[in-house]
Amino acid sequence: MGEVNFFLQAMIYLTSAIIMVPIANRLGLGSVLGYLVAGIVIGPFVFGFVGTEGKDLLHFAEFGVVMMLFAIGLELELNLLWRLKFWLLGLGGLQLLLTTVFVFLFSIGFQFSWKSSLALGFILSLSSTAIVLQTLKEKGLMKSVSGQASFSILLFQDMAVIPILAIFPMLSEGEQISNDHGHSLVDHLPAYQKTIVVLFVVIGIILIGRYLLSPLFRMIAKSGSREIFTGASLLLVIAISVLMGSVGVSAALGTFLAGVVLASSEFRHELESNIEPFKGLLLGLFFLSVGASMDIPVVMSNPTKIIGIVFGIIFLKAIVLLLLGFLFKLPLDQNLYMSLALSQVGEFSFVLFGYSEGLGIFDKETIVILVACVALSMAFTPILLLLYEKTIFEALQSKLPKKQSNQTVQKEENPVIICGFGRFGNMVGRFLRSNGIGITILDYDADRVEMLGRFGFKVFFGDATRIELLESAGLEHAKVLIAALDHPEKQQELIRNVKHHYPNLNIVARAGDREEAYELKEMGLSYIYRETRETAVKLGGDVLKILGTRSFTAERAKNLFLTHDDETFHELFALRKDRVQYISLAKQRNSELERLMFVDVGKEDELELDSWSEMERM
Amino acid sequence: MPKILILLFHPFLEKSKANQMLLDSVPVSESITLRDLYEIYPNFTIDVKLEQKLLMEHDVILFQHPFYWYSCPPLMKQWIDFVLEDGWAYGKNGNFLKDKKWIQTITTGGTELAYSKEGFHGHLMEEFLLPFRRTAELCKMDYQSPFLLQGTFQLKEGEFQKESIRYRNFLLFLLGANHG
């Protein structure tokens, strides 16, 4: 019975998401709004398909937020933080501070206690990373000034969640209701000891991440099983959540830290793409359950109050951001966009509200109203942005001279991605790198990745045939993809995937022999390189020299041979299905080549036709 | 004893009897360095720094090449373009070749008569070689009349021997010239 119920629930959730999200996307409102509305629709107050378990589900779905923080941590390489330090600390820090102060003052005015006011300030100053990053990515604005400013602020907020979670117990009003998780091992300890335990756990995670996880993943990777690697990625996130939960700290803090520690490891992209689908689904579930647990009657009974609070929050946050935008000299159009984009309250507020309920910071009624307000502020974001884009943004855009920022806030943005760093990819990589070309390298051999890492190559572990992995390695910014995988089937799978998703990207590919080259040509590639061809001809040239041919003559002979071989390749390609014609043409072309080369080196009198034409590998 | 650098530029040396004969005539001496540049740079990627170092170590720079289309073979032009750098060979502070001798040893298919006002080509060798002369002058080098071996297609065995001795004496003279 329970199982049937579970699957029925899953069906309802998935169906509603599948219906609502595409509609929201089509309307330009973004998927988050779709999830929220879907949640409301299936919730107890509209159709009532789901309901009682909404709150429990929310706890489970919070795991999506935890995973999001892990993914954000993974993207946080120290040099990115360093590059963004000015905006991160300046814009992000001031935004958080000013919004918190204003909300604090307002709440005091509404007769909240100073502790609740401060907590509310912190909660409302956060914006929704999920909504804003999703919107920026969907609209291709990540690289714009507003995109970078937004990213910096969100990053700062996400990091600030961690100290905020630590501060919250201090804001407790004393009448602490026992946490509904109730598993915390440190509840009985006095506050300072709790802090010490937390500190130990955090340091432990950093040390383990630094010195234990990479070798461990390397070992798992060597097993060559992708499922196990995905399992290990999930296990890591879950294990940290449990560990953190057991010492009474947020799971988000732990996974975020683990992410940061792993950001510089070679497994970064593989972890990211493993977590990605789970993260996406769980975040969707999270927003669904927020929608489902939204108390519609409460909203309906106090419409003016709630609408007032929602727009009050949006207005306040937008004004603070706008002022900071002026202070940091953002162009007006970009500044307005950023201010509106970040004006909602973020998903962490749900987590924090839940947490503060347990701590007795707010009473239940207040939380119900505030949660509804937060959800509404999220729902309004895409609508506001759409309105803004259709009116002011377009007008301003046409007036202002186009300014492209040259600063970049992306992960890997190299123009070249090399898939497969074996004997072939390795040489290509070294050549390009010595010419100052930025390359991102992916390889599925854990030993090799580790070894190359020691040589100072930045090689990421992962299966390059997976488009998500390529994307997290920066495929959309790449100009050239070098396909140099050893296995012909893998190589073809990679090329098929990339051609399908990015038809305009330049693909240059390694082929083992003529047959493989034909297959790649059949897939529509025009840059195909038989890996042994050049080397073999070079070897032949050196043999000519050893036998007394002068260098320049040998050089000419090599070039003539290669040019002729290229031409023959294309001619033979057309005939490869017809063996009889193929062999006849191959023989004919070979004797032509012999004649040509004998004439070139002045040995036409020594020419014996048809002597070795049969040797060509068919 | 002055040091001589012979820079040989011949894409098809194996086919040129005249040039091989000339090389065979070069006296064995520690003061002579012979470089076969088509052999050293078959794909035209010249090591400029090395070439410049060698130039600095020698007093006489002797280019041996066939006369192709009233000029030198392409690698020699490439060599001139890349090695004789501004600020090194000429221009401001470009004094590294100052007072070194520039000499060309040139083989031509056409006879001496063909390179005359009335001949087939209608101009003197001297006139065709003006760009090289001017190049040497720009580098403040001491341009010398070339050693010419002409009508190579018609040379007979005995004449080869005669020419060989003439070239050997020419080089020996260069070796002794600054000596006393």
mmCIF file of all heavy atoms in Angstrom, chain A residues 238-263:
data_model
loop_
_atom_site.group_PDB
_atom_site.id
_atom_site.type_symbol
_atom_site.label_atom_id
_atom_site.label_comp_id
_atom_site.label_asym_id
_atom_site.label_seq_id
_atom_site.Cartn_x
_atom_site.Cartn_y
_atom_site.Cartn_z
ATOM 1 N N ILE A 238 25.743 12.934 0.644
ATOM 2 C CA ILE A 238 24.836 12.473 1.699
ATOM 3 C C ILE A 238 25.589 12.277 3.012
ATOM 4 O O ILE A 238 25.137 12.707 4.084
ATOM 5 C CB ILE A 238 24.140 11.154 1.271
ATOM 6 C CG1 ILE A 238 23.238 11.431 0.068
ATOM 7 C CG2 ILE A 238 23.341 10.573 2.416
ATOM 8 C CD1 ILE A 238 22.657 10.190 -0.563
ATOM 9 N N ALA A 239 26.773 11.670 2.917
ATOM 10 C CA ALA A 239 27.544 11.393 4.125
ATOM 11 C C ALA A 239 27.873 12.686 4.863
ATOM 12 O O ALA A 239 27.753 12.771 6.091
ATOM 13 C CB ALA A 239 28.822 10.646 3.756
ATOM 14 N N ILE A 240 28.264 13.693 4.102
ATOM 15 C CA ILE A 240 28.603 14.962 4.751
ATOM 16 C C ILE A 240 27.361 15.574 5.395
ATOM 17 O O ILE A 240 27.416 16.102 6.513
ATOM 18 C CB ILE A 240 29.233 15.922 3.735
ATOM 19 C CG1 ILE A 240 30.601 15.378 3.328
ATOM 20 C CG2 ILE A 240 29.392 17.307 4.338
ATOM 21 C CD1 ILE A 240 31.227 16.110 2.196
ATOM 22 N N SER A 241 26.218 15.460 4.681
ATOM 23 C CA SER A 241 24.986 15.999 5.252
ATOM 24 C C SER A 241 24.673 15.336 6.580
ATOM 25 O O SER A 241 24.341 15.999 7.565
ATOM 26 C CB SER A 241 23.815 15.751 4.297
ATOM 27 O OG SER A 241 24.086 16.307 3.058
ATOM 28 N N VAL A 242 24.797 14.008 6.610
ATOM 29 C CA VAL A 242 24.496 13.269 7.833
ATOM 30 C C VAL A 242 25.459 13.678 8.938
ATOM 31 O O VAL A 242 25.053 13.965 10.067
ATOM 32 C CB VAL A 242 24.576 11.748 7.574
ATOM 33 C CG1 VAL A 242 24.493 10.977 8.881
ATOM 34 C CG2 VAL A 242 23.470 11.329 6.631
ATOM 35 N N LEU A 243 26.723 13.740 8.588
ATOM 36 C CA LEU A 243 27.750 14.101 9.569
ATOM 37 C C LEU A 243 27.454 15.471 10.161
ATOM 38 O O LEU A 243 27.451 15.671 11.376
ATOM 39 C CB LEU A 243 29.126 14.092 8.893
ATOM 40 C CG LEU A 243 30.301 14.495 9.768
ATOM 41 C CD1 LEU A 243 30.540 13.441 10.840
ATOM 42 C CD2 LEU A 243 31.550 14.692 8.941
ATOM 43 N N MET A 244 27.167 16.432 9.303
ATOM 44 C CA MET A 244 26.906 17.784 9.768
ATOM 45 C C MET A 244 25.630 17.807 10.596
ATOM 46 O O MET A 244 25.564 18.474 11.622
ATOM 47 C CB MET A 244 26.775 18.744 8.576
ATOM 48 C CG MET A 244 28.075 19.010 7.855
ATOM 49 S SD MET A 244 29.429 19.395 8.953
ATOM 50 C CE MET A 244 29.592 21.127 8.687
ATOM 51 N N GLY A 245 24.615 17.062 10.095
ATOM 52 C CA GLY A 245 23.367 17.004 10.841
ATOM 53 C C GLY A 245 23.595 16.476 12.248
ATOM 54 O O GLY A 245 23.035 16.978 13.212
ATOM 55 N N SER A 246 24.477 15.490 12.363
ATOM 56 C CA SER A 246 24.678 14.870 13.671
ATOM 57 C C SER A 246 25.372 15.800 14.651
ATOM 58 O O SER A 246 25.305 15.591 15.855
ATOM 59 C CB SER A 246 25.468 13.571 13.515
ATOM 60 O OG SER A 246 26.787 13.874 13.150
ATOM 61 N N VAL A 247 26.056 16.818 14.159
ATOM 62 C CA VAL A 247 26.613 17.784 15.108
ATOM 63 C C VAL A 247 25.781 19.062 15.124
ATOM 64 O O VAL A 247 26.207 20.091 15.631
ATOM 65 C CB VAL A 247 28.095 18.119 14.816
ATOM 66 C CG1 VAL A 247 28.951 16.883 14.999
ATOM 67 C CG2 VAL A 247 28.263 18.711 13.427
ATOM 68 N N GLY A 248 24.619 18.979 14.524
ATOM 69 C CA GLY A 248 23.673 20.076 14.640
ATOM 70 C C GLY A 248 23.965 21.272 13.769
ATOM 71 O O GLY A 248 23.528 22.383 14.054
ATOM 72 N N VAL A 249 24.733 21.073 12.712
ATOM 73 C CA VAL A 249 25.007 22.189 11.801
ATOM 74 C C VAL A 249 24.389 21.867 10.457
ATOM 75 O O VAL A 249 24.101 20.715 10.150
ATOM 76 C CB VAL A 249 26.530 22.412 11.662
ATOM 77 C CG1 VAL A 249 26.812 23.585 10.759
ATOM 78 C CG2 VAL A 249 27.131 22.629 13.021
ATOM 79 N N SER A 250 24.220 22.894 9.654
ATOM 80 C CA SER A 250 23.544 22.670 8.376
ATOM 81 C C SER A 250 24.377 21.803 7.451
ATOM 82 O O SER A 250 25.602 21.913 7.379
ATOM 83 C CB SER A 250 23.271 24.002 7.693
ATOM 84 O OG SER A 250 24.169 24.202 6.649
ATOM 85 N N ALA A 251 23.687 20.946 6.736
ATOM 86 C CA ALA A 251 24.339 20.105 5.747
ATOM 87 C C ALA A 251 24.933 20.969 4.646
ATOM 88 O O ALA A 251 25.962 20.648 4.059
ATOM 89 C CB ALA A 251 23.321 19.140 5.162
ATOM 90 N N ALA A 252 24.262 22.096 4.380
ATOM 91 C CA ALA A 252 24.726 22.981 3.314
ATOM 92 C C ALA A 252 26.161 23.427 3.561
ATOM 93 O O ALA A 252 26.986 23.444 2.654
ATOM 94 C CB ALA A 252 23.804 24.192 3.211
ATOM 95 N N LEU A 253 26.452 23.766 4.820
ATOM 96 C CA LEU A 253 27.811 24.207 5.154
ATOM 97 C C LEU A 253 28.829 23.132 4.802
ATOM 98 O O LEU A 253 29.842 23.397 4.162
ATOM 99 C CB LEU A 253 27.881 24.541 6.651
ATOM 100 C CG LEU A 253 29.286 24.657 7.253
ATOM 101 C CD1 LEU A 253 30.030 25.825 6.627
ATOM 102 C CD2 LEU A 253 29.228 24.829 8.758
ATOM 103 N N GLY A 254 28.533 21.902 5.217
ATOM 104 C CA GLY A 254 29.486 20.825 5.002
ATOM 105 C C GLY A 254 29.731 20.533 3.533
ATOM 106 O O GLY A 254 30.866 20.463 3.080
ATOM 107 N N THR A 255 28.643 20.415 2.773
ATOM 108 C CA THR A 255 28.821 20.073 1.364
ATOM 109 C C THR A 255 29.456 21.228 0.618
ATOM 110 O O THR A 255 30.255 21.020 -0.282
ATOM 111 C CB THR A 255 27.473 19.715 0.719
ATOM 112 O OG1 THR A 255 26.541 20.717 1.057
ATOM 113 C CG2 THR A 255 26.993 18.378 1.210
ATOM 114 N N PHE A 256 29.105 22.422 1.014
ATOM 115 C CA PHE A 256 29.724 23.585 0.383
ATOM 116 C C PHE A 256 31.239 23.527 0.566
ATOM 117 O O PHE A 256 32.016 23.679 -0.373
ATOM 118 C CB PHE A 256 29.159 24.868 1.003
ATOM 119 C CG PHE A 256 29.770 26.129 0.460
ATOM 120 C CD1 PHE A 256 29.403 26.614 -0.781
ATOM 121 C CD2 PHE A 256 30.705 26.841 1.189
ATOM 122 C CE1 PHE A 256 29.955 27.768 -1.288
ATOM 123 C CE2 PHE A 256 31.270 28.003 0.690
ATOM 124 C CZ PHE A 256 30.880 28.471 -0.548
ATOM 125 N N LEU A 257 31.652 23.272 1.793
ATOM 126 C CA LEU A 257 33.085 23.160 2.084
ATOM 127 C C LEU A 257 33.722 22.040 1.267
ATOM 128 O O LEU A 257 34.776 22.225 0.653
ATOM 129 C CB LEU A 257 33.281 22.858 3.568
ATOM 130 C CG LEU A 257 33.408 24.070 4.449
ATOM 131 C CD1 LEU A 257 33.497 23.636 5.894
ATOM 132 C CD2 LEU A 257 34.636 24.870 4.056
ATOM 133 N N ALA A 258 33.053 20.889 1.248
ATOM 134 C CA ALA A 258 33.587 19.763 0.487
ATOM 135 C C ALA A 258 33.728 20.160 -0.976
ATOM 136 O O ALA A 258 34.729 19.840 -1.638
ATOM 137 C CB ALA A 258 32.680 18.551 0.622
ATOM 138 N N GLY A 259 32.739 20.879 -1.480
ATOM 139 C CA GLY A 259 32.800 21.347 -2.857
ATOM 140 C C GLY A 259 34.008 22.236 -3.085
ATOM 141 O O GLY A 259 34.764 22.052 -4.031
ATOM 142 N N VAL A 260 34.212 23.193 -2.184
ATOM 143 C CA VAL A 260 35.342 24.105 -2.344
ATOM 144 C C VAL A 260 36.651 23.317 -2.322
ATOM 145 O O VAL A 260 37.559 23.558 -3.123
ATOM 146 C CB VAL A 260 35.347 25.169 -1.224
ATOM 147 C CG1 VAL A 260 36.593 26.030 -1.310
ATOM 148 C CG2 VAL A 260 34.110 26.039 -1.331
ATOM 149 N N VAL A 261 36.737 22.365 -1.402
ATOM 150 C CA VAL A 261 37.975 21.596 -1.302
ATOM 151 C C VAL A 261 38.220 20.804 -2.590
ATOM 152 O O VAL A 261 39.340 20.682 -3.057
ATOM 153 C CB VAL A 261 37.919 20.648 -0.084
ATOM 154 C CG1 VAL A 261 39.144 19.755 -0.055
ATOM 155 C CG2 VAL A 261 37.815 21.452 1.203
ATOM 156 N N LEU A 262 37.147 20.297 -3.175
ATOM 157 C CA LEU A 262 37.295 19.471 -4.378
ATOM 158 C C LEU A 262 37.379 20.296 -5.655
ATOM 159 O O LEU A 262 37.620 19.759 -6.725
ATOM 160 C CB LEU A 262 36.125 18.493 -4.487
ATOM 161 C CG LEU A 262 36.180 17.326 -3.494
ATOM 162 C CD1 LEU A 262 34.880 16.550 -3.510
ATOM 163 C CD2 LEU A 262 37.341 16.401 -3.818
ATOM 164 N N ALA A 263 37.180 21.604 -5.533
ATOM 165 C CA ALA A 263 37.135 22.446 -6.735
ATOM 166 C C ALA A 263 38.443 22.392 -7.510
ATOM 167 O O ALA A 263 38.464 22.551 -8.715
ATOM 168 C CB ALA A 263 36.808 23.882 -6.372
#
